[in-house]
Amino acid sequence: MQTEQDAIIEEAQAAADEAQDSRALYEAKMKFLGRTGKVTALLKGMRDVAAELRPAFGKRVNELREKLEAMFAAREERMKQRELAAKFAHEQVDVTMPGRRHAKGALHPVTLVKNRLVDIFAGMGFEIFEGPEIETEYYNFTALNTPADHPARDMQDTFYVSGEYLLRTQTSAGQIRLMEKKKPPIKMLSPGRVFRADDDATHSPMFHQMEGLVVDKGITLGDLQGMLDEFARTMFSETSKTRLRPSYFPFTEPSVEVDVSCAACGGKGCSLCKGTGWIEVLGAGMVNRRVLENCGVDPDVYSGFAFGMGIERIAMLKYGINNIKLLTENDTRFLEQFKD
Ligand code: PHE
């Protein structure tokens, strides 16, 4: 038995020496200590050993098992260290190497201006309302006091979708949708895309507007101008002023065109403002009584003002962009200039 034990130990050592990795080492170990391994077979064979010899036999086999277990455990530990070292050597990273650069995007100038406008008016307590881009004639025109035969419908060349559906020509449609749902006091800001069959250096068939609507008891044109002054100072420059000129919109009475003093020349007159010192920025006015009535708001109790501005136009003024097409061409040489 002693020699058999030594032989098994030698054999196991040789098998362990041959193993190149932990997997092979485990397999070698199983050949001796596994369920069908040699040592296990010896233990099973104990049945056939004479009863008086069994304790001594059992003791020797157990010793053998312990020796082998210790031998394999030591080698497993060494193997693990070796494999770990190899893995570390292989996976070594140079932490000082510069990372791969990803081109950084920038917000589109129209988005920048829209966000700024939302900031400014949200700060004055306006809530955002977004209406649908496909509208009915009723919301886009009729309810805004612009019946089918009204000449003002020609002011805005409309894309019709089918039947009474059209691509909204103005965010003013949102005024009606909100007033149908909500009773005064109202302070609404409605940004969105609008569409008109119009195409030149300052007009694009698709552009963005920002509509504002305030309805409450005792609202006056003075409130409108005060709020627009605040808007001009925050959007353009601390010294910006506004000027109201009489105008016409079917849904406001009186209606005004709002000019902001030219930020480029401080109102002295330059090429941007064509020597006038003023730049036309938006349309506005007191909400026409008929519009209030159409929405079930009593015009003898409530009054309001509305304004609508082109976001592209504001962006062009703010950033000195001379062609509206630059805003839709997606030329990164242009867009990159708005990175912060
Ligand atoms: N909807 C008008 C336009 O698109 C602008 C406007 C809005 C005027 C609200 C007055 C009041 O030209």
Side-chain angles (χ1 to χ4, degrees):
M1 182 66 200
Q2 195 55 50
T3 47
E4 193 182 351
Q5 195 177 355
D6 290 344
I8 289 177
I9 288 177
E10 252 170 55
E11 202 186 327
Q13 268 167 346
D17 284 344
E18 239 172 68
Q20 293 301 312
D21 54 34
S22 345
R23 198 182 161 76
L25 187 60
Y26 177 78
E27 276 161 17
K29 177 169 144 185
M30 285 304 110
K31 267 193 213 147
F32 296 88
L33 299 167
R35 246 177 345 113
T36 54
K38 282 196 174 154
V39 179
T40 321
L42 282 177
L43 278 169
K44 279 185 190 153
M46 205 142 87
R47 279 183 248 126
D48 307 324
V49 175
E52 65 276 19
L53 295 176
R54 252 182 233 161
F57 179 85
K59 194 171 165 243
R60 282 202 304 274
V61 178
N62 273 332
E63 271 170 21
L64 171 63
R65 201 188 61 206
E66 275 160 25
K67 276 189 192 153
L68 288 187
E69 272 171 358
M71 189 274 287
F72 277 110
R75 281 171 195 246
E76 272 164 7
E77 183 54 32
R78 240 182 294 144
M79 185 69 89
K80 212 165 85 190
Q81 293 303 337
R82 215 166 68 199
E83 284 178 349
L84 212 55
K87 191 165 173 225
F88 287 160
H90 179 69
E91 289 180 358
Q92 209 169 49
V93 285
D94 179 356
V95 291
T96 65
M97 223 158 87
R100 236 175 271 153
R101 276 186 201 289
H102 290 283
K104 191 175 163 229
L107 288 179
H108 191 277
V110 167
T111 307
L112 289 173
V113 169
K114 184 189 123 182
N115 291 351
R116 188 82 191 99
L117 287 169
V118 169
D119 264 7
I120 294 172
F121 287 101
M124 297 186 212
F126 281 71
E127 59 174 321
I128 308 289
F129 173 82
E130 281 176 292
E133 290 175 1
I134 296 177
E135 262 300 2
T136 61
E137 279 185 320
Y138 178 76
Y139 287 104
N140 196 78
F141 288 126
T142 317
L144 286 162
N145 195 33
T146 320
D149 55 356
H150 198 289
R153 285 213 185 180
D154 299 338
M155 278 161 72
Q156 301 175 358
D157 288 320
T158 309
F159 290 113
Y160 283 87
V161 179
S162 73
E164 57 162 340
Y165 292 102
L166 47 82
L167 298 183
R168 68 174 172 196
T169 60
Q170 49 189 353
T171 43
S172 302
Q175 292 183 27
I176 308 298
R177 285 191 178 270
L178 188 86
M179 278 193 283
E180 278 182 353
K181 273 202 253 178
K182 194 181 161 175
K183 294 297 146 218
I186 285 172
K187 255 184 156 180
M188 172 203 84
L189 193 65
S190 186
R193 250 188 293 245
V194 298
F195 307 84
R196 290 181 200 179
D198 216 353
D199 204 4
D200 61 33
T202 51
H203 297 88
S204 152
M206 185 282 289
F207 62 103
H208 297 76
Q209 282 190 334
M210 180 72 79
E211 190 85 9
L213 173 72
V214 172
V215 182
D216 202 350
K217 289 179 184 156
I219 299 292
T220 70
L221 208 58
D223 296 319
L224 171 68
Q225 184 159 24
M227 207 202 57
L228 290 174
D229 270 338
E230 174 65 17
F231 146 74
R233 278 194 298 269
T234 327
M235 192 71 199
F236 297 106
S237 112
E238 211 20 68
T239 55
S240 288
K241 288 197 232 353
T242 61
R243 164 176 97 167
L244 307 186
R245 277 182 295 112
S247 184
Y248 176 75
F249 298 103
F251 36 90
T252 45
E253 182 57 38
S255 299
V256 293
E257 215 58 76
V258 181
D259 296 339
V260 173
S261 56
C262 181
C265 62
K268 286 200 254 339
C270 66
S271 64
L272 189 69
C273 57
K274 304 194 183 81
T276 65
W278 295 95
I279 290 182
E280 186 186 314
V281 169
L282 57 101
M286 297 306 291
V287 181
N288 192 309
R289 312 175 46 96
R290 297 234 186 110
V291 174
L292 294 176
E293 277 165 6
N294 287 342
C295 301
V297 177
D298 185 350
D300 291 325
V301 179
Y302 294 103
S303 59
F305 65 73
F307 61 87
M309 58 183 99
I311 301 183
E312 278 80 356
R313 180 160 174 74
I314 309 266
M316 289 169 80
L317 290 173
K318 188 167 169 64
Y319 299 118
I321 300 164
N322 57 13
N323 193 325
I324 197 168
K325 297 291 172 298
L326 288 165
L327 294 170
T328 44
E329 277 168 350
N330 279 342
D331 185 332
T332 49
R333 289 170 303 179
F334 168 73
L335 295 173
E336 268 175 356
Q337 298 175 49
F338 299 93
K339 264 187 208 171
D340 44 31

